[in-house]
Amino acid sequence: MSRENACVLKVEGLCKNFGPTRAVADVSLEFRAGEVHGLIGENGSGKSTLMGMVAGIHSRDKGRMFKGNQLYDPESPAHANEQGISMVVQELGLVDGLTVAENIFLGKTEQFAQRGVINLRKMRAAAEEAFAAWGITPVPLDALARSLTVEEKKLVELVRALSVDPDVLILDEITAAFSHNNRALLYDLLVKLRDQGKLILFVSHNLPEILELCDRITVLKDGEKVTTIAAEGATEDQLKRLMVGREVKETYFYTPAQTTGSKPVLTVDGISVDGMLHNVSFELRRGEVLGVGGLSDSGIHELGRVLFGLSKPDQGKVILTETGEVIDSLRKAIDRGIAYVPKDRDTEALMVRATIEDNLCLPSTDSFVGRLGFLSPRKRKAFAREQLAAFEIKASGIRQAVNQLSGGNRQKVSLASWLSRPNRILILDSPTRGVDVGITANIYKLIAEVKKQGIGILLISDELPELIGCSDRILIMKNGAVAKVFERAEGFGEHSIVQVMI
Amino acid sequence: MEHIIPFAGLVCLLLLFTVLVGSKFWRPYNLRSILNQTVLYMFGGLGLIFVIAQGSIDLSQGAVLALTATISAILVNKYGLWLIFPAAILTGALFGLLNGVIISKLKVPSVTCTLAFSIAYRGLLPVFTRGGPIYVPFKLFDLYNFKNMFPVLVLLTLIFGYLFEYTKLGYYTKAVGENEIKARNSGVPVERVKIISYVLCGIMAGIAGVFTLSRVGGVDVSIGNFFELEVMLAIFTGGVPVTGGMSTRIYRLFVGALTIGVLVNGLTLYGVSAALAEGLKGLMLIGLVFITARFTMGREAAAA
């Protein structure tokens, strides 16, 4: 895999501070043409900031960069684009009120202008061509960006980055939002670009993916470069050790469920939602992890919303098996002990500007109400402190704002706010998305603990290894219907599961 | 850190006018007149802060004040003075309910809905007043003095402050302002919370309307003009974020209202024209917001 090509991009002694926080400290790296270069590190290790400096998003406090033999000093992302460097950022970077085609060529529309008027038809055609040329799953070109799913948005951002025909393409955690099929497409595309002599800088938490795809891997920790190694011959455990600085063992904490004689807690009976779910039926048992997997449009995420009462099914019922009660509203779902941790953490699961205390307390508000509706601040504080300690959330205290926490600790806050309630059923949608290895292991441990309490867990995930590692049964969905249920006793073959998904 | 800025602003103004105007500023009569100038906005703010906290806005509070005052004045002239508070509170609540239902159930953005109602109510006003002013009984004039208003203010502050700071209603209201989706996911009855906020806002418009009646002596078409803007100025000067949320505190309303009251009063005593003093009010808000933003920006960059 590795080839000795010319150095296309070099950074020397890069430093960046945000206020008192040191984000990147004295990083020097050389990147070669025709390589996929992986960047890994825990949340907050400086990957995104480093890439942001290369892409002209962040200014540098210190250090120099060279592209080819020339000094490279980007003033803005547009300026970086002109010099052949483009990036897909980790956060969403589209303008909500513009169409897909307009978003792709935003800031580069002169090429379609005739006497100052932009030829929208020409632009649309160019966008269509771009999707086809790069072999990327098409997204409706006239749709407004706000109507797209997170995955579709990421595809549009990818096309936008490719549309400048870059020599250096930076992808920051793009695959976290991708389903299985789009990941496969992306890998093929990246290999093709590499073979054309381009440099791809690839940031990801997904270590198997990094090992599979990259030629060389750079590990960052606390803003400093730990090392750069060849991917060939490297192992996941070795990478984890380098990232965390200590041994991380056993990521998955699977303990067999007491399935013998275990009763079902939730019966899903013929659920249909127009265009998204078709006649879905299954049972969730006490103390089991039921994994739910499938491609992005298979309806797995919608299923979670229906079970929690967030979406109303057109047909069918969600029934609490023990009492026969039908769950038809969100209020009922919460009151009967169903908890739901949604996948879009910052937009759906957290109040990011508010304190940890408020985020932890909100779902449990009813338990703090005393006489005359008095909502005791003392009780709230005590509760929040307890949860902060119990879930080992790394923070300066319960008064810290959630947007000052790393992604993994944010996810812990989101989980803790639900797990601290008396639950019967726990629905987790992509709980480890964008979370580093240390905290991912933590979350798996939590799932195992919850399972021991006899709670039925529905684990929805795009990560097949995660489903295989944690589940007692795996339900695979395809085009909104249940395609097959795999039992652990029969063994989960990754290959046979993928066969059913596609 | 940024929580202190509005307080610091008030303290600076107090010091400034102590130096510029001297003991005249601290005379009880003058202090009472500052309170008399600001108390109406405090009344309005006790309701509006619920709406601001949930991330919405009510541009119709002044128009609702005008309409409730007019309807109450007509009813009082017909049936007697005892009706004044019940009439104002009930009609205010009804107008608030209308706002709340349209915004939460029909999903009309709050700016659009309340702007439309503000224009519509102002347009309706001459229909009720039939061109001329409506006068209220002389006895009502007594209401507008410090002795009567202060206990009412304290009582309402205790009730609304308790609701806002120490009950589920207040907590949920602020949660909606932080993140409506998260609030709904956590079991907050978002629609109900929104409706209640607008009802409270309408009730306080009604009560402020009663005191306005007693101050002016009657109703004409200009009553309550710019009222909601003055109330918002007080709330934002006190350091409440425009987007609402958990950091909204009821004491900020009072800090803001007093800051504005002190500024206008001090400037007038110093001999600045009333028109210029009004202009400086707006400039001061921009200054405070700017300083607050500087502090918050520094902190957020550090977190990125």
Side-chain angles (χ1 to χ4, degrees), chain B residues 114-195:
Chain B
T114 59
L115 179 67
F117 274 127
S118 172
I119 305 286
Y121 295 157
R122 289 266 169 220
L124 275 177
L125 210 51
V127 178
F128 286 94
T129 59
R130 305 197 179 165
I134 300 174
Y135 299 101
V136 287
F138 278 115
K139 258 181 103 179
L140 193 62
F141 289 23
D142 294 341
L143 199 58
Y144 201 85
N145 70 47
F146 190 74
K147 266 205 310 272
N148 291 328
M149 281 194 299
F150 194 67
V152 179
L153 180 67
V154 170
L155 180 71
L156 288 173
T157 302
L158 286 176
I159 296 172
F160 279 72
Y162 182 74
L163 282 178
F164 192 74
E165 303 288 358
Y166 297 106
T167 68
K168 212 160 84 172
L169 172 68
Y171 200 53
Y172 281 175
T173 300
K174 291 177 244 181
V176 171
E178 283 293 344
N179 184 345
E180 196 174 318
I181 301 171
K182 153 79 176 174
R184 183 168 284 127
N185 285 350
S186 305
V188 174
V190 174
E191 268 99 50
R192 202 185 316 157
V193 165
K194 282 189 173 177
I195 292 173

Side-chain angles (χ1 to χ4, degrees), chain B residues 214-234:
Chain B
S214 95
R215 179 186 187 180
V216 186
V219 185
D220 76 339
V221 286
S222 71
I223 187 172
N225 264 349
F226 301 117
F227 178 77
E228 69 282 346
L229 299 183
E230 295 280 352
V231 173
M232 276 188 258
L233 186 71

Side-chain angles (χ1 to χ4, degrees), chain A residues 466-487:
Chain A
E466 176 169 293
L467 292 176
I468 292 173
C470 297
S471 311
D472 298 293
R473 296 186 294 153
I474 299 178
L475 183 150
I476 295 297
M477 293 185 63
K478 189 180 173 183
N479 299 327
V482 178
K484 190 169 179 195
V485 179
F486 292 84
E487 298 278 344

Side-chain angles (χ1 to χ4, degrees), chain B:
Chain B
M1 177 58 211
E2 70 273 8
H3 303 303
I4 307 168
I5 293 167
F7 279 110
L10 180 57
V11 172
C12 285
L13 282 180
L14 289 174
L15 290 176
L16 179 75
F17 290 124
T18 311
V19 174
L20 288 182
V21 188
S23 62
K24 211 162 44 165
F25 179 79
W26 289 102
R27 273 184 205 141
Y29 169 78
N30 191 50
L31 294 181
R32 231 178 300 154
S33 103
I34 292 176
L35 267 175
N36 280 343
Q37 293 296 322
T38 51
V39 70
L40 282 178
Y41 304 133
M42 292 177 181
F43 281 135
L46 284 176
L48 193 64
I49 200 161
F50 280 81
V51 172
I52 300 280
Q54 48 144 288
S56 300
I57 208 164
D58 186 357
L59 294 171
S60 68
Q61 207 189 20
V64 168
L65 182 155
L67 212 49
T68 52
T70 308
I71 294 170
S72 313
I74 293 170
L75 291 175
V76 164
N77 284 332
K78 224 169 178 176
Y79 301 106
L81 197 57
W82 61 273
L83 203 58
I84 187 87
F85 275 106
I89 290 172
L90 205 67
T91 44
L94 280 175
F95 287 126
L97 184 69
L98 190 60
N99 268 332
V101 168
I102 289 176
I103 288 162
S104 68
K105 299 280 183 198
L106 306 183
K107 315 279 178 226
V108 177
S110 65
V111 178
T112 320
C113 172
T114 59
L115 179 67
F117 274 127
S118 172
I119 305 286
Y121 295 157
R122 289 266 169 220
L124 275 177
L125 210 51
V127 178
F128 286 94
T129 59
R130 305 197 179 165
I134 300 174
Y135 299 101
V136 287
F138 278 115
K139 258 181 103 179
L140 193 62
F141 289 23
D142 294 341
L143 199 58
Y144 201 85
N145 70 47
F146 190 74
K147 266 205 310 272
N148 291 328
M149 281 194 299
F150 194 67
V152 179
L153 180 67
V154 170
L155 180 71
L156 288 173
T157 302
L158 286 176
I159 296 172
F160 279 72
Y162 182 74
L163 282 178
F164 192 74
E165 303 288 358
Y166 297 106
T167 68
K168 212 160 84 172
L169 172 68
Y171 200 53
Y172 281 175
T173 300
K174 291 177 244 181
V176 171
E178 283 293 344
N179 184 345
E180 196 174 318
I181 301 171
K182 153 79 176 174
R184 183 168 284 127
N185 285 350
S186 305
V188 174
V190 174
E191 268 99 50
R192 202 185 316 157
V193 165
K194 282 189 173 177
I195 292 173
I196 294 173
S197 295
Y198 277 98
V199 169
L200 293 178
C201 194
I203 288 174
M204 287 317 300
I207 289 174
V210 172
F211 286 100
T212 310
L213 274 181
S214 95
R215 179 186 187 180
V216 186
V219 185
D220 76 339
V221 286
S222 71
I223 187 172
N225 264 349
F226 301 117
F227 178 77
E228 69 282 346
L229 299 183
E230 295 280 352
V231 173
M232 276 188 258
L233 186 71
I235 290 175
F236 296 143
T237 301
V240 170
V242 185
T243 47
M246 289 290 180
S247 62
T248 312
R249 289 278 173 276
I250 208 131
Y251 73 81
R252 294 181 175 278
L253 161 70
F254 298 98
V255 174
L258 286 176
T259 306
I260 292 166
V262 166
L263 180 80
V264 173
N265 175 278
L267 286 173
T268 317
L269 285 185
Y270 187 59
V272 175
S273 79
L276 189 57
E278 286 291 313
L280 285 172
K281 266 196 324 205
L283 283 182
M284 184 186 60
L285 175 63
I286 294 173
L288 279 172
V289 170
F290 173 73
I291 296 169
T292 311
R294 288 295 296 241
F295 275 99
T296 355
M297 245 162 32
R299 202 193 48 195
E300 259 160 30

